[in-house]
Amino acid sequence: MFLDTWLPDFSFLFLSILVEGAPFILLGTIISGFIDVYLPSGAIDRLLPRNRGLAVLMSGMLGIIFPVCECAVVPVIRRLVKKGLPPACAITYMLAAPIVNPVTFLSTYSAFKKIPLEMAGSRLLFGYVIAVIVGLILLRVGVGRILKPRIVGELREAESSHDHHPDHGSTLLEKKNRLIMALRAAMRDFVDVGIYFVIGITIVAIVNTPPPVDQQTIPLRDYIDGTAESIWGAPAALMGLSFLLSLCSTSDAFIAATLDTFSNGPRLAFLVFGPMMDVKLLFLYSTILSRKFILILAAGLFIGIGTLSVLLEPIFEGFERNKAPPFSQGIQE
Amino acid sequence: MNKATFNQIISSLATISWGGVPVYLYTRGLIGEYLSESFHVIALSGGLAMIVLGLFNLLHARRQVGCGHDHSHEHDHGHDHDHHEQNPVAAICLMIIPVMLCTGFTKHEYSKEALRWKGLYKQRTLKSLYSTYNTEFTRELLEKRTPKTSEGNFLLQLTELYWSAGDEKIMKIYDGLPAQLEGRLIEEEPTLNPDNTRKRLYRVVMTCCAADAQVLGVPLEFSTSLPALADKTWITARGKVAFELIDGQHFAYLSDCEVEATEPPETQNRRRP
């Protein structure tokens, strides 16, 4: 059973997620490699408003200019933080960019054919608001409580070298080899992130593979469907589903559109929570964020998005009030 | 060879091994089993880019590109690249070995148990599907937009028939329609096949990749003997559309079926012209 079915099924799923996600990670790490070599320290920080609150508000919209999905954004913000971008702004961009970008907007618009603008607009706004709230809270939290100790150490070393060592300028050798340095940094980041990505997708593949037992087991989706009528259970179940499925934000709306036993609130919770926190992201985030912070962030997002989706459900429900399906009601014989 | 060069070589090999997977699947025509069509070119380009990146760094592994002094610290001279060393064991164990093992073990498709787990014998409803049409969906509209075979059978998509069971008015439009469907044949769930007159036609429908796939199945009822075709054979099925009510839920099926084996389409998701 294990060798005949479980292992081939697991391998099939593992490879399918790998070949889907790896190109986006590569894109992010190549951008990251070029940022490393060509972008001077502090340049990003200088581009943002001096007022930290405004900087967070602006960071939440950077995805419109630099549209990246959740796999690609992690290596980019990892590098930007090392280049001096404040963690609060970096995390706001990290959470918002997979949702607040034109590709995700268009895919959501296409997936929800009956209420396209309402769902795509609500998703974008909901994602933006959540990311900005997190960013504003983080302005009051010390860097040491957010980032991994190694990253904090590197930032402190950079600060002290800035204070004590005069800028000795790039050497001639470095100037000549900048492309090699950029691609070397890109590959180093790719392997760094790839290792964590493998751990994440292994768990996703295990969860999605039928257990290797003789008796028939009940698929996860059947449990999830059973919560559709529950006010709090429905968003919780769909956020749990998005966490386990670890879908790409550019196409998850097509899955959400098929979950139409659920009302729009829980479906929006699915569409906002998934790109911000899922199994593979849990491990990707650990390349830059401290474990404790990731757990607090996950819990905070789960509670915050779930609560907002329940509170705003009357508004979301109203989307379809004037667009009742012409013939989905049972017909009179 | 120093430690940094060794690490660089291992990282390059890990990157090349990852790039090799999508390129291998694409060139073998298997990528459609793993990814939906919109991701095929992305996966191929990503794979090729990984191979190029890995080879480039492999060729330059021994080349010294830094400023020549100790890089155990961050420094500010126009760039501030970090220089932490990667653990080559982690790269081998977590990047190279899992990919090689999975490429060896995969059968490029789901097992029967996984098909069941993914919903092969389930009927789900999509209540909003037909409400997205701007005009009312009628039999005339169906006849106008659906091509027919020379024998007069409507060339329906399996997904179209599957989801039609969610709406009573739509069911009336499809009921009794002579139809031809394409998909893969598999044995029917014994509890749904007490008289042993049925098989099931299914297709795997994915949004991004195989991990999010749903398996949609429609029963085929035979008035004569069951076809002697192996499970998972690609077939063309002809029959009449019918609906049945089981435990308060409607199911679509094809009655009076005849089937013949056919060549698989280029990819799982692609409809044959």
Side-chain angles (χ1 to χ4, degrees), chain B residues 66-95:
Chain B
C67 34
H69 60 73
D70 178 19
H71 272 151
S72 60
H73 62 281
E74 292 270 338
H75 48 112
D76 189 357
H77 51 273
H79 63 95
D80 58 359
H81 41 269
D82 57 340
H83 300 274
H84 73 273
E85 295 294 346
Q86 271 150 347
N87 183 348
V89 179
I92 294 170
C93 294
L94 288 171
M95 287 188 77

Side-chain angles (χ1 to χ4, degrees), chain A residues 4 9 12 36 41 82-83 162 170 173-174 177 184 188 192 198 217 222 225 251 260 327-328, chain B residues 8 33 60 63 66-67 76-77 79-82 84 86 94 107 111 116 122 124 127 167 208:
Chain A
D4 289 346
D9 283 335
F12 180 52
D36 179 35
S41 299
K82 289 179 182 176
K83 286 282 177 183
H162 183 76
S170 302
L173 182 64
E174 282 184 338
N177 291 315
R184 195 172 275 186
R188 194 168 47 233
D192 258 4
V198 165
T217 48
D222 289 7
D225 281 349
S251 40
D260 72 350
F327 40 70
S328 69
Chain B
Q8 178 88 355
E33 308 297 328
H60 293 94
R63 189 156 170 181
C67 34
D76 189 357
H77 51 273
H79 63 95
D80 58 359
H81 41 269
D82 57 340
H84 73 273
Q86 271 150 347
L94 288 171
K107 291 181 179 167
S111 67
R116 189 193 71 78
K122 289 276 171 193
R124 300 190 193 279
K127 64 187 178 194
D167 190 302
C208 312

Side-chain angles (χ1 to χ4, degrees), chain B residues 9-252:
Chain B
I9 291 169
I10 295 297
S11 294
S12 302
L13 293 176
T15 308
I16 293 168
S17 72
W18 274 36
V21 177
V23 173
Y24 164 77
L25 295 175
Y26 194 95
T27 50
R28 291 283 310 274
L30 293 165
I31 197 79
E33 308 297 328
Y34 289 82
L35 295 176
S36 73
E37 211 167 340
S38 55
F39 284 92
H40 291 185
V41 176
I42 296 171
L44 178 66
S45 345
L48 289 171
M50 283 174 230
I51 291 172
V52 170
L53 181 70
L55 283 176
F56 181 89
N57 281 298
L58 193 61
L59 290 173
H60 293 94
R62 285 173 179 274
R63 189 156 170 181
Q64 190 188 339
V65 294
C67 34
H69 60 73
D70 178 19
H71 272 151
S72 60
H73 62 281
E74 292 270 338
H75 48 112
D76 189 357
H77 51 273
H79 63 95
D80 58 359
H81 41 269
D82 57 340
H83 300 274
H84 73 273
E85 295 294 346
Q86 271 150 347
N87 183 348
V89 179
I92 294 170
C93 294
L94 288 171
M95 287 188 77
I96 300 175
I97 293 176
V99 164
M100 289 175 74
L101 286 177
C102 286
T103 309
F105 280 115
T106 180
K107 291 181 179 167
H108 311 296
E109 63 177 9
Y110 281 121
S111 67
K112 278 190 206 173
E113 178 52 24
L115 289 171
R116 189 193 71 78
W117 172 266
K118 290 276 177 187
L120 174 63
Y121 299 111
K122 289 276 171 193
Q123 176 65 49
R124 300 190 193 279
T125 55
L126 197 59
K127 64 187 178 194
S128 57
L129 182 69
Y130 289 94
S131 61
T132 57
Y133 285 98
N134 291 327
T135 51
E136 188 169 352
F137 189 65
T138 59
R139 178 73 173 237
E140 289 71 39
L141 188 63
L142 173 74
E143 289 189 11
K144 199 174 156 188
R145 72 185 181 113
T146 312
K148 279 186 192 175
T149 63
S150 52
E151 301 93 48
N153 292 314
F154 286 82
L155 281 165
L156 296 183
Q157 291 297 303
L158 187 145
T159 46
E160 188 179 355
L161 182 59
Y162 179 90
W163 294 119
S164 70
D167 190 302
E168 286 181 42
K169 186 164 182 183
I170 299 300
M171 281 159 48
K172 283 198 116 180
I173 294 170
Y174 280 95
D175 201 10
L177 199 75
Q180 180 172 308
L181 299 173
E182 193 173 71
R184 298 176 84 172
L185 191 71
I186 198 160
E187 63 189 12
E188 179 63 310
E189 170 84 16
T191 54
L192 298 170
N193 189 23
D195 304 326
N196 199 27
T197 54
R198 289 186 172 194
K199 290 267 188 180
R200 188 167 280 247
L201 188 73
Y202 76 91
R203 291 197 83 153
V204 178
V205 180
M206 60 180 102
T207 306
C208 312
C209 64
D212 67 51
Q214 288 187 71
V215 182
L216 306 183
V218 170
L220 304 176
E221 184 159 89
F222 297 88
S223 42
T224 55
S225 59
L226 291 177
L229 292 168
D231 276 348
K232 297 185 180 177
T233 304
W234 277 95
I235 59 156
T236 299
R238 283 177 283 272
K240 278 191 175 169
V241 175
F243 295 92
E244 60 190 341
L245 193 64
I246 301 172
D247 295 333
Q249 196 171 14
H250 286 106
F251 289 80

Side-chain angles (χ1 to χ4, degrees), chain A residues 120-171:
Chain A
S122 304
R123 184 185 191 188
L124 191 144
L125 197 64
F126 198 168
Y128 177 75
V129 168
I130 291 287
V132 165
I133 290 172
V134 172
L136 292 175
I137 293 169
L138 293 183
L139 284 176
R140 297 173 179 279
V141 179
V143 171
R145 293 169 70 182
I146 300 173
L147 302 176
K148 269 178 94 161
R150 184 166 66 80
I151 307 279
V152 176
E154 286 176 11
L155 286 175
R156 288 194 179 136
E157 270 184 31
E159 273 172 21
S160 66
S161 87
H162 183 76
D163 291 341
H164 304 297
H165 301 291
D167 188 349
H168 63 269
S170 302
T171 64

Side-chain angles (χ1 to χ4, degrees), chain A residues 47-288:
Chain A
L47 289 174
L48 290 170
R50 282 188 178 278
N51 181 305
R52 290 290 183 230
L54 279 179
V56 165
L57 290 174
M58 204 170 144
S59 303
M61 287 189 278
L62 285 177
I64 298 169
I65 309 161
F66 306 111
V68 280
C69 67
E70 67 274 23
C71 289
V73 79
V74 177
V76 175
I77 69 126
R78 194 165 166 254
R79 187 63 66 188
L80 290 175
V81 165
K82 289 179 182 176
K83 286 282 177 183
L85 181 69
C89 296
I91 289 166
T92 307
Y93 172 58
M94 180 183 85
L95 296 177
I99 298 171
V100 186
N101 76 59
V103 181
T104 304
F105 182 88
L106 284 175
S107 71
T108 311
Y109 187 93
S110 320
F112 288 88
K113 291 193 168 61
K114 202 165 70 172
I115 43 170
L117 202 58
E118 291 88 341
M119 286 302 275
S122 304
R123 184 185 191 188
L124 191 144
L125 197 64
F126 198 168
Y128 177 75
V129 168
I130 291 287
V132 165
I133 290 172
V134 172
L136 292 175
I137 293 169
L138 293 183
L139 284 176
R140 297 173 179 279
V141 179
V143 171
R145 293 169 70 182
I146 300 173
L147 302 176
K148 269 178 94 161
R150 184 166 66 80
I151 307 279
V152 176
E154 286 176 11
L155 286 175
R156 288 194 179 136
E157 270 184 31
E159 273 172 21
S160 66
S161 87
H162 183 76
D163 291 341
H164 304 297
H165 301 291
D167 188 349
H168 63 269
S170 302
T171 64
L172 188 64
L173 182 64
E174 282 184 338
K175 277 185 178 166
K176 279 172 70 179
N177 291 315
R178 279 190 157 187
L179 180 67
I180 299 174
M181 287 165 67
L183 293 178
R184 195 172 275 186
M187 191 182 70
R188 194 168 47 233
D189 280 358
F190 182 73
V191 173
D192 258 4
V193 174
I195 286 169
Y196 287 92
F197 183 62
V198 165
I199 300 170
I201 62 174
T202 301
I203 295 171
V204 177
I206 288 171
V207 170
N208 280 284
T209 307
V213 290
D214 285 337
Q215 69 269 30
Q216 290 193 345
T217 48
I218 298 170
L220 180 69
R221 176 74 191 269
D222 289 7
Y223 287 113
I224 303 276
D225 281 349
T227 65
E229 301 300 320
S230 163
I231 294 172
W232 291 96
L238 287 197
M239 284 191 288
L241 183 68
S242 68
F243 180 81
L244 292 174
L245 288 181
S246 300
L247 299 164
C248 179
S249 67
T250 56
S251 40
D252 57 358
F254 294 98
I255 298 284
T258 67
L259 298 167
D260 72 350
T261 49
F262 291 85
S263 57
N264 292 330
R267 288 202 283 180
L268 278 166
F270 174 93
L271 290 171
V272 173
F273 185 77
M276 293 186 178
M277 187 60 70
D278 63 35
V279 177
K280 71 176 181 331
L281 284 175
L282 211 60
F283 291 92
L284 290 182
Y285 288 166
S286 62
T287 60
I288 179 166

